[in-house]
Amino acid sequence: MSNIRQLGVALAGYESTHRKLVPMRGGPLTNANGLWMGVRTSGLVELCPYMERMDLYNKFYFGYESTLPPKRTFAVGGEPWWYGGNYDPWRTQISILRCPSDPGKMSRADWASMGRTNYAFCMGDSQMGIELAYWEVPDKAVRGMFQQQFSFSLIDCGDGASNTIAFGEIGTPSNAQSGDRTAAAMIQGYQATSVPQRVLGRGVLPIDCLATAASGRYLADQTIIARRGTHWGDGLPDYVGFNTILGPNSPSCIYDRNEGAGLHSASSYHFGGIHAVMLDGSTHFISDSVDTGSLTSEAPGVYRNAGSLTYSDNWYSPSAYGVWGAYGSRDGKD
């Protein structure tokens, strides 16, 4: 629990300096070398100076020359999320970001294996906003406190900093690397893919996601992929985000084949729950049995319509997902 508490301290340090929270996902469309980055840089990069990793922050933003063969100069402003090899920032495991109980590890023998994180940004009880396309105008498009390209301030948290989650735990795959598809794997570190939306734009229905797994493992005939927590530098929710819909240690589901928006559950290798840190820095153990309300309810949605954001009717309502949903939403009045 001490590591996630330290991450909360790092966030507080960032907020004290900038008077706003870090965006979950941001960065440029292309880097200085013209390589595609797609606005996918994780907000954890911005927190590096507050986690005593200014060395990684400087390498990312100011570039550097590698000391390992084949020697090369890496770009000012960072390299893409998929860059492996000897690019230090992505291949460095930041100790604060790991829970000692998680057995998953990056593999130095695997060129594409990256540093992991067990702690993810809370997107609240909505599924769609983080995946608004990078060219769209940033706005308040999730019900939690972290989203793409937009930095919330604490004043945006109408429910109060002590009642709203900043970070929660996600388990990483214990015997796999990112992108592996191991049938019937444990829910920690994996997500079910191609789970259809019943209503376009509202994400995966919770009961449909729940049906992809049983007894802590995905069903043998369910297509899954290892993504959760396997790259701390990639800002997609698959890697560094979670929503408060299904309870802790439930399956995760996306409606794409590989990566994207959907239902990203918190998880851990602890018995019975996960740790979370609130916006006020307090830490709590959240039980797997926390009240999740109605799992037949569709998640609040946000859409792009003729250049402006359109919100579903229940966008400003109390969460349908009980206490767990209320913990994640910033201004549900619950």
Side-chain angles (χ1 to χ4, degrees), residues 4-306:
I4 195 171
R5 182 183 292 117
Q6 289 182 66
L7 187 58
V9 171
L11 181 66
Y14 182 95
E15 193 278 332
S16 178
T17 300
H18 299 276
R19 298 303 177 188
K20 60 183 179 180
L21 300 178
V22 64
M24 172 178 157
R25 169 184 171 185
L29 196 58
T30 59
N31 74 356
N33 289 342
L35 292 175
W36 180 259
M37 294 187 71
V39 194
R40 274 179 60 167
T41 303
S42 164
L44 294 174
V45 173
E46 292 292 323
L47 293 182
C48 277
Y50 304 91
M51 295 189 286
E52 300 183 354
R53 293 312 307 254
M54 181 63 83
D55 58 325
L56 297 181
Y57 181 89
N58 287 339
K59 285 181 176 179
F60 185 85
Y61 280 107
F62 301 108
Y64 72 100
E65 183 175 333
S66 64
T67 57
L68 300 174
K71 294 183 179 180
R72 58 160 295 175
T73 299
F74 290 103
V76 172
E79 297 285 358
W81 71 92
W82 42 262
Y83 235 66
N86 58 351
Y87 184 59
D88 285 353
W90 296 164
R91 297 277 281 174
T92 298
Q93 183 57 71
I94 300 175
S95 59
I96 287 178
L97 297 180
R98 293 313 311 273
C99 174
S101 69
D102 191 309
K105 293 181 174 63
M106 66 175 293
S107 171
R108 283 288 173 186
D110 184 347
W111 181 88
S113 183
M114 310 294 183
R116 298 188 175 203
T117 180
N118 286 114
Y119 308 124
F121 295 97
C122 181
M123 301 180 292
D125 59 352
S126 49
Q127 298 186 38
M128 300 297 296
I130 191 64
E131 285 304 295
L132 288 173
Y134 59 80
W135 60 82
E136 308 216 16
V137 178
D139 206 333
K140 298 177 182 179
V142 299
R143 301 223 317 163
M145 288 295 286
F146 298 96
Q147 70 165 59
Q148 170 179 295
Q149 298 189 81
F150 187 88
S151 295
F152 287 98
S153 299
L154 289 179
I155 197 172
D156 295 308
C157 185
D159 290 342
S162 63
N163 298 317
T164 306
I165 295 175
F167 297 101
E169 284 189 278
I170 53 174
T172 71
S174 61
N175 295 310
Q177 298 302 321
S178 183
D180 287 351
R181 297 181 181 273
T182 305
M186 296 175 63
I187 61 101
Q188 287 85 356
Y190 287 82
Q191 54 198 162
T193 66
S194 302
V195 179
Q197 301 180 78
R198 295 199 188 188
V199 178
L200 186 63
R202 300 299 291 272
V204 179
L205 200 63
I207 57 170
D208 291 342
C209 185
L210 201 60
T212 65
S215 301
R217 290 184 177 273
Y218 289 97
L219 303 181
D221 61 352
Q222 176 66 55
T223 303
I224 60 177
I225 190 168
R227 293 284 190 199
R228 307 289 284 143
T230 55
H231 186 359
W232 66 263
D234 190 332
L236 281 187
D238 309 60
Y239 301 95
V240 297
F242 79 101
N243 36 35
T244 51
I245 299 176
L246 288 179
N249 292 309
S250 296
S252 297
C253 301
I254 57 174
Y255 50 83
D256 197 357
R257 293 186 302 108
N258 291 308
E259 53 200 18
L263 202 163
H264 303 277
S265 296
S267 65
S268 77
Y269 288 89
H270 305 303
F271 178 77
I274 58 102
H275 291 108
V277 62
M278 315 302 277
L279 286 172
D280 69 347
S282 62
T283 55
H284 301 273
F285 187 77
I286 310 295
S287 170
D288 292 347
S289 61
V290 63
D291 171 49
T292 52
S294 172
L295 298 185
T296 59
S297 296
E298 295 162 354
V302 58
Y303 322 95
R304 181 66 67 179
N305 183 17

